[in-house]
Amino acid sequence: MGSLLVRNAQVLATMDDGDTEILDGGLFAVDGFIAAVGTTDELPHDADEVFDAKGHVVLPGLINTHHHFYQTLTRAIPGAQDVGLFDWLRTLYPIWARMTPDDVRIATRLALCELALSGCTTSSDHQYLFPNGSRLDDQIDGASGVGVRFHAARGSMSLGESAGGLPPDSVVEEEQAILADTQRVIEAFHDPAPGAMTRIVVAPCSPFSVTPEIMEASAELARIHGVHLHTHVAETYDEERFCIETFGRRPVELMEDLGWVGNDVWYAHGIFIDEAEIDRMAAAGTGVAHCPSSNMRLASGIAPVRSYVDAGVRLGLGVDGSASNDGSHMIAETRQAMLLARLDAAPSLRGGPLLTARETLRIATRGSAAVLGRPDLGALEVGRCADFIAISLDRLEYAGALHDPVAAVVFAAPVRVDHSYVHGRPIVKDGAIVGVDVPELIANHNESAIRLVGGAPPQLRVPNGPASG
Ligand SMILES: [Zn+2]
């Protein structure tokens, strides 16, 4: 691979333990790993590839810890726009049941392009239904060529409507088939090495769509193979009621009973969690993917972010979606996280100190890396991977905000990155994805989306004239 020199950044925020920010900063990487970080003067003067970051703020790449890429095909569906989680799911399950392997590939690629342009260099995805012969392999295939590191969570649903679960029977799988396929994809794709581009995660969907037995069996399988565990926990009031009425346990208590705690486990959402549960999560090392936009969109609730931070819970950021966000924009999500935590800090709500821009960026970088079990990611320091983003400061959105360019990334209107590197390789150059025909991808994606929903192509409405299209 060779060496990469980044120099002349207006400011480079390392997110190291001392929160070091370097004016006129840069870094030097060899074979994708950072070998030096410092001012331009302190670094080597040449390399196989040189990136001049003059006039840019440079940050560690943002890391997305929760998503459902396939849902990019069902954004803004009219029947699912204005309802809470359970009705939203009931509307969408039959549409998702029509997905083909090609749809999964296209949606994965599209979501990763959208993420990359918004500053994401590593993403997890939680795929929990596999209709019409689709497999996790289709996601791995769709992700190839974009260059974002990918933690593919092999999800599952086994508890259909007829057995008291929420999803229709047509989208659930047999438990033995789930476990066998999960083992297959771990053996085929999981790379445990530092700098890995692909990892597999074991991820039954939620307490209301799988049985306790498969939760336990999944944890056992994951631990045999040393892979991480992920599921939705304590997302909504309805789910809390379901757990109490069905199992006589609160969501986190249920997870504790099933062995779903520890530093190899992270929950999506974690809203209906009390202070004692937060302390137990901190002690056990259990992580959380905070998804503020989705939580607002579905009127789910406000996660206790300040309590998580203060208790030392591993806390990362997730865009969730894409039918419940409906955007995959990591900088926008970072901003939402800061703003929602501030709303929660209102004296009439939870109160407490305001979450700062840097605390929020830390959640989206170091925090998310910790949640995914990636000590090789999340900061720009020697030994970690050269995953970083560069944003030009010469733009409308940042005019008047150059007093603090790092904070401006969070406070100002969310922008797309100008450059992004993963493992020392450029994946975004001058605001464009490297090596992907994006217009063609959008056209194919819209075609899949329209077919899935069963509608005719939309007609453009022209004021004072006939519909055209
Ligand atoms: Zn989710």
Side-chain angles (χ1 to χ4, degrees):
M1 264 200 67
S3 56
L4 168 71
L5 172 65
V6 180
R7 63 185 177 197
N8 300 327
Q10 173 107 2
V11 56
L12 179 143
T14 64
M15 296 287 160
D16 66 8
D17 288 341
D19 270 331
T20 308
E21 294 180 5
I22 305 167
L23 295 175
D24 189 20
L27 60 83
F28 182 74
V30 177
D31 293 339
F33 292 93
I34 297 171
V37 180
T39 61
T40 300
D41 280 352
E42 293 165 346
L43 296 168
H45 297 295
D46 210 357
D48 298 328
E49 187 184 339
V50 177
F51 168 53
D52 189 333
K54 189 170 168 36
H56 291 68
V57 55
V58 172
L59 299 166
L62 307 180
I63 299 175
N64 178 36
T65 59
H66 187 65
H67 207 310
H68 310 287
F69 293 159
Y70 72 90
Q71 292 180 11
T72 55
L73 295 160
T74 54
R75 298 198 253 217
I77 296 274
Q81 284 177 14
D82 306 315
V83 288
L85 178 69
F86 280 17
D87 286 332
W88 175 89
L89 282 168
R90 284 190 194 98
T91 304
L92 292 168
Y93 282 139
I95 299 172
W96 296 336
R98 293 197 276 269
M99 264 190 317
T100 65
D102 236 7
D103 297 331
V104 173
R105 267 193 291 275
I106 290 167
T108 298
R109 180 159 291 212
L110 185 115
L112 284 169
C113 287
E114 197 183 352
L115 284 166
L117 288 170
S118 72
C120 179
T121 51
T122 296
S123 184
S124 184
D125 187 65
H126 190 181
Q127 178 87 19
Y128 52 82
L129 73 178
F130 297 91
N132 307 309
S134 57
R135 304 190 302 169
L136 204 73
D137 313 45
D138 303 314
Q139 284 211 288
I140 307 276
D141 187 27
S144 70
V146 182
V148 173
R149 292 184 203 276
F150 185 27
H151 283 222
R154 203 297 183 189
S156 56
M157 298 196 293
S158 66
L159 197 63
E161 242 170 347
S162 63
L166 193 73
D169 291 358
S170 63
V171 293
V172 304
E173 295 175 89
E174 294 288 338
E175 300 204 339
Q176 284 315 311
I178 291 167
L179 293 170
D181 189 60
T182 305
Q183 177 161 348
R184 179 187 69 79
V185 295
I186 293 169
E187 288 167 355
F189 300 114
H190 183 72
D191 177 2
M197 289 299 294
T198 308
R199 290 207 178 150
I200 299 297
V201 175
V202 181
C205 187
S206 63
F208 54 85
S209 58
V210 301
T211 62
E213 290 72 35
I214 197 158
M215 280 282 183
E216 282 180 315
S218 294
E220 200 177 314
L221 177 70
R223 283 166 181 150
I224 289 169
H225 293 276
V227 304
H228 283 223
L229 288 158
H230 180 49
T231 191
H232 296 90
V233 176
E235 179 177 1
T236 65
Y237 179 73
D238 287 349
E239 180 202 320
E240 186 183 56
R241 302 317 313 158
F242 177 91
C243 288
I244 290 169
E245 282 161 20
T246 311
F247 305 110
R249 306 290 275 162
R250 294 172 45 74
V252 166
E253 291 173 335
L254 177 65
M255 290 297 118
E256 289 168 341
D257 292 350
L258 298 172
W260 272 70
V261 291
N263 55 19
D264 57 350
V265 176
W266 88 101
Y267 305 152
H269 304 295
I271 296 172
F272 293 83
I273 294 188
D274 64 28
E275 295 293 323
E277 290 167 342
I278 288 173
D279 288 343
R280 297 205 299 276
M281 287 169 64
T286 309
V288 174
H290 174 45
C291 307
S293 295
S294 172
N295 299 158
M296 288 188 266
R297 206 272 204 190
L298 295 172
S300 299
I302 305 177
V305 166
R306 174 52 69 189
S307 298
Y308 284 138
V309 171
D310 290 350
V313 170
R314 288 186 302 131
L315 180 69
L317 189 68
V319 297
D320 198 7
S322 279
S324 69
N325 179 328
D326 307 32
S328 308
H329 198 301
M330 277 298 287
I331 291 175
E333 201 65 26
T334 306
R335 186 170 191 259
Q336 294 280 50
M338 182 181 78
L339 297 178
L340 185 60
R342 286 174 176 222
L343 177 64
D344 202 31
S348 58
L349 297 173
R350 220 181 301 257
L354 306 190
L355 198 71
T356 69
R358 284 174 173 79
E359 281 181 307
T360 321
L361 280 171
R362 202 171 180 81
I363 291 169
T365 53
R366 286 292 290 276
S368 287
V371 162
L372 296 186
R374 295 298 301 253
D376 54 337
L377 306 178
L380 301 179
E381 58 184 348
V382 172
R384 299 203 196 221
C385 296
D387 291 12
F388 61 91
I389 54 177
I391 304 172
S392 169
L393 297 170
D394 182 19
R395 64 200 318 143
L396 205 54
E397 294 89 346
Y398 294 174
L402 303 186
H403 323 288
D404 188 347
V406 174
V409 172
V410 188
F411 274 100
V415 301
R416 284 184 166 174
V417 300
D418 295 286
H419 303 273
S420 175
Y421 282 73
V422 173
H423 215 76
R425 289 183 288 257
I427 65 165
V428 175
K429 261 187 177 170
D430 296 316
I433 299 277
V434 176
V436 178
D437 184 341
V438 174
E440 186 188 21
L441 179 61
I442 293 169
N444 292 339
H445 189 271
N446 274 323
E447 206 173 287
S448 285
I450 289 161
R451 195 201 73 251
L452 272 188
V453 179
Q459 303 287 303
L460 290 178
R461 287 186 187 283
V462 180
N464 303 320
S468 68

